Amino acid sequence: MKTIYKIAFASILIFCGACADMDKINTNPDGISSVTPQMLATKLILNITNDDIGSEKGFMLPFMRDKYILWSEYPEDAQYNRLNRASFSDMTRLTDAQKMMELSQDLKEGEKNAYTGLAYFIRAYYFFNLTIQVGDMPYSEAIKGETEGDTKPTYDTQKDIFIGILKELDLADNLFANASQFDGDIIYGGDVNKWRKMVNSFQLKVLINLHKKTGDSDLNVAQKFKDIVSNRPIFSNNEDNFSLVYSNQQNQMYPFFKQGNQFVIYPMVSSVLIDKLKILNDYRLFYYTEPSPVKIEEGLSDSDFDAYVGVEPSLEYSAVSSISSSKDYSDINLRYKETPEGEPVYLLSYAQVEFMLAEAAVRGWVGETPEEHYNQGVKAAMEYVRDNTPINTYNHGMDITDNYIEAYIESAEVKLSSDPNTQMEQIITQKYLSTFLQSPLSAFFENRRTGYPYFEINPASNQNEPSNKLPVRWMYPSDEVQYNLEHVNEATNRQYNGGDDNNGIMWILQ
């Protein structure tokens, strides 16, 4: 995976820039004369990884919503809970996926199945990540504007969208199960077995987000979850992570590396994260953050938990600015700024899957006990951080050893409780601790879904209206309001009593 990414990335970025206008590609006598499934595969995979991960300040914005990071430059909407409008502009990915399927029809059966399976996965991935933002949206008619000139698609219900997503993921798994290695894949090198694991692990994520719908016979959530765990391949180690790997090459460096990055001076690490790490005696504190310079000047060691100071993310900006000026806070670990390779950034990890399995066990969906999956999730998360950090330079002398991991899991603060409610909080907390600067917006949606971890609401700084609530959805895109108002109104009347605001409770949350 690493080698393929390093070799392919720069040339693919050039290709993808050219791909912005397919008509120009197809008519440029000095350029690429035709588009292939391999090219579209690379473009689509980069869309959902490199493009969505972003860089510099754009990389950090989702982690402000996740309450990992505060921003000292000026008040950021993301930090203060303002959710504006979603965007449907990336629906061009769906037409690219459709084109990839069409262009693969003349290939050998194994290759055709691989590209078709990838197309179904891309569709499911896109629709899931957008519907959990807005609720009902175009699904069955989503690309009619491209294929039939219909720019006013109807809005499917969120339930129907989820039914469609699950079916498309089943199709993708079946196609990859009958596919051969394919070109254009910068993540898994065309390994269809790895893609099967990703498709099925992602379907577990979809299903865990449907936990309030276990009584719906059309979905059959719990049984479907159990069937996947019992009968299909899913992530089994950190090598399976769906992640982008960086290197010390131009256009391939970690998203927050210091070179050309004017924003490296602004992050502050939140107390939501730091206080939890301290309470649990968690050495990831020393891998994630830097000690407060003030505490070091006072004589504390950089290996002392008390040298690390988090800032409450709901503080008014004037207070945040004052703390920033005082220097008495913890910055992100220097490895995120000083090493061009940084660490791989994943969209879905083995540790997250293990925490999903632990949650499913608590809910009674699978027969295993939650302890086994919880412990394995903690272990995998710890190992991931350790294995991607130059320990002699960036862990402040606090090594995460195998013995430490074992002792940590068995410690009174971490050991899984026998009480189901406490178990759920512990599982989601450990999931939160595992996704620092990883899996953007995961913590936002976990908090929305479960209430964990707890995020403080400060009416004096909260930009949501009303100011005593956290927002739960993005509003529909302004282009849709302008050009497809009839269907927008139909959807908002159906779901939110006609109000397209940030507080409507969508179907999966009811």
Side-chain angles (χ1 to χ4, degrees):
M1 177 178 68
K2 293 183 180 180
T3 302
I4 290 171
Y5 176 70
K6 290 178 181 178
I7 292 173
F9 191 86
S11 61
I12 294 304
L13 283 180
I14 295 170
F15 163 74
C16 286
C19 278
D21 188 338
M22 289 296 185
D23 290 333
K24 289 181 180 179
I25 285 177
N26 291 333
T27 59
N28 180 2
D30 298 319
I32 300 170
S33 60
S34 63
V35 177
T36 66
Q38 295 92 330
M39 291 176 177
L40 289 171
T42 306
K43 181 175 184 288
L44 285 163
I45 293 169
L46 279 172
N47 285 158
I48 66 171
T49 55
N50 184 68
D51 293 358
D52 287 353
I53 289 168
S55 63
E56 299 181 1
K57 187 176 182 178
F59 172 67
M60 284 294 180
L61 285 171
F63 302 114
M64 297 180 210
R65 295 204 186 282
D66 290 339
K67 308 306 179 189
Y68 291 120
I69 296 294
L70 295 84
W71 202 249
S72 62
E73 181 185 16
Y74 50 73
E76 277 293 339
D77 288 353
Q79 180 178 326
Y80 291 114
N81 308 316
R82 180 181 292 277
L83 288 180
N84 293 307
R85 294 191 178 275
S87 172
F88 290 175
S89 62
D90 287 337
M91 280 198 181
T92 53
R93 298 176 184 181
L94 303 179
T95 55
D96 285 343
Q98 181 68 28
K99 189 67 174 177
M100 182 171 63
M101 282 196 276
E102 293 170 359
L103 291 174
S104 68
Q105 295 307 301
D106 294 332
L107 299 177
K108 292 180 180 179
E109 188 74 13
E111 287 182 288
K112 180 183 75 172
N113 287 347
Y115 290 115
T116 306
L118 178 62
Y120 280 121
F121 167 75
I122 293 290
R123 283 178 51 85
Y125 185 90
Y126 172 81
F127 282 118
F128 171 78
N129 284 304
L130 197 49
T131 188
I132 63 172
Q133 290 186 24
V134 298
D136 295 2
M137 61 171 286
Y139 174 70
S140 57
E141 297 183 359
I143 61 173
K144 275 193 171 183
E146 294 290 334
T147 60
E148 300 178 22
D150 182 358
T151 59
K152 297 181 179 181
T154 59
Y155 279 47
D156 296 81
T157 67
Q158 191 171 50
K159 175 179 175 177
D160 286 341
I161 294 167
F162 269 92
I163 289 173
I165 288 169
L166 294 171
K167 287 180 178 177
E168 294 198 59
L169 290 171
D170 284 342
L171 285 168
D173 174 66
N174 184 62
L175 286 160
F176 278 127
N178 294 281
S180 59
Q181 184 163 327
F182 64 102
D183 294 328
D185 172 17
I186 63 164
I187 302 297
Y188 295 131
D191 186 335
V192 294
N193 294 317
K194 290 280 191 179
W195 275 104
R196 283 197 74 193
K197 288 185 175 185
M198 174 54 187
V199 166
N200 294 320
S201 297
F202 182 72
Q203 187 160 185
L204 296 183
K205 178 178 178 177
V206 174
L207 290 164
I208 211 74
N209 275 272
L210 291 168
H211 70 92
K212 292 187 176 181
K213 303 300 178 182
T214 53
D216 192 318
S217 60
D218 294 330
L219 293 162
N220 206 11
V221 172
Q223 185 58 49
K224 190 163 187 60
F225 192 102
K226 183 178 181 180
D227 288 345
I228 292 171
V229 174
S230 301
N231 301 311
R232 299 186 191 177
I234 58 175
F235 285 175
S236 57
N237 55 57
N238 282 329
E239 292 299 310
D240 293 331
N241 290 357
F242 189 69
S243 59
L244 201 56
V245 180
Y246 302 91
S247 71
N248 189 14
Q249 300 292 327
Q250 191 68 28
N251 297 322
Q252 301 178 36
M253 297 176 187
Y254 184 74
F256 209 68
F257 178 58
K258 65 182 180 181
Q259 182 174 301
N261 182 1
Q262 62 179 313
F263 301 105
V264 293
I265 62 174
Y266 298 120
M268 306 166 73
V269 183
S270 85
S271 57
V272 180
L273 176 72
I274 285 181
D275 289 355
K276 283 181 171 57
L277 293 170
K278 285 183 174 182
I279 290 169
L280 299 177
N281 196 41
D282 193 318
Y283 282 14
R284 283 174 290 188
L285 176 71
F286 306 100
Y287 289 71
Y288 287 162
T289 73
E290 290 295 313
S292 159
V294 172
K295 295 297 184 281
I296 296 300
E297 288 178 7
E298 291 174 354
L300 293 180
S301 164
D302 63 358
S303 61
D304 189 330
F305 278 89
D306 290 335
Y308 295 78
V309 179
V311 182
E312 168 53 49
S314 68
L315 286 176
E316 293 179 78
Y317 177 71
S318 58
V320 172
S321 182
S322 177
I323 294 170
S324 175
S325 298
S326 78
K327 305 299 182 185
D328 192 14
Y329 67 90
S330 285
D331 193 358
I332 61 174
N333 192 289
L334 288 178
R335 68 189 175 100
Y336 300 111
K337 305 176 183 182
E338 298 291 336
T339 59
E341 300 85 359
E343 65 182 11
V345 176
Y346 59 72
L347 286 309
L348 186 63
S349 73
Y350 168 55
Q352 287 175 298
V353 170
E354 285 292 344
F355 292 131
M356 290 178 214
L357 293 170
E359 178 180 340
V362 173
R363 297 188 185 281
W365 296 3
V366 293
E368 300 93 336
T369 59
E371 288 86 354
E372 178 183 353
H373 294 297
Y374 171 80
N375 292 348
Q376 192 56 45
V378 173
K379 182 174 183 287
M382 288 271 189
E383 290 175 344
Y384 184 85
V385 173
R386 178 189 68 191
D387 294 347
N388 287 288
T389 303
I391 61 173
N392 294 327
T393 308
Y394 296 111
N395 72 344
H396 304 288
M398 301 295 279
D399 295 351
I400 294 179
T401 64
D402 290 344
N403 287 338
Y404 166 76
I405 295 173
E406 184 177 344
Y408 176 85
I409 291 171
E410 292 300 320
S411 66
E413 296 82 2
V414 177
K415 190 176 179 64
L416 196 64
S417 168
S418 58
D419 173 65
N421 291 326
T422 305
Q423 287 176 338
M424 195 65 68
E425 181 177 4
Q426 288 179 286
I427 291 165
I428 304 303
T429 295
Q430 284 296 332
K431 189 187 288 189
Y432 180 77
L433 298 180
S434 77
T435 53
F436 178 67
L437 303 190
Q438 297 284 346
S439 195
L441 290 181
S442 288
F444 172 87
F445 288 115
E446 288 296 292
N447 169 270
R448 185 184 75 170
R449 183 176 71 87
T450 69
Y452 304 124
Y454 174 73
F455 294 159
E456 188 73 36
I457 301 173
N458 180 357
S461 65
N462 186 16
Q463 293 182 11
N464 187 48
E465 296 180 6
S467 61
N468 63 344
K469 292 182 178 180
L470 293 175
V472 294
R473 67 175 292 271
W474 283 255
M475 293 182 287
Y476 286 117
S478 56
D479 284 350
E480 287 291 293
V481 174
Q482 184 173 0
Y483 298 112
N484 196 13
L485 183 59
E486 177 185 354
H487 291 130
V488 170
N489 285 340
E490 180 184 352
T492 54
N493 287 332
R494 184 168 60 219
Q495 301 169 94
Y496 309 124
N497 295 319
D500 183 19
D501 58 37
N502 301 126
N503 304 293
I505 307 301
M506 64 183 64
W507 173 79
I508 56 167
L509 301 177
Q510 295 172 2

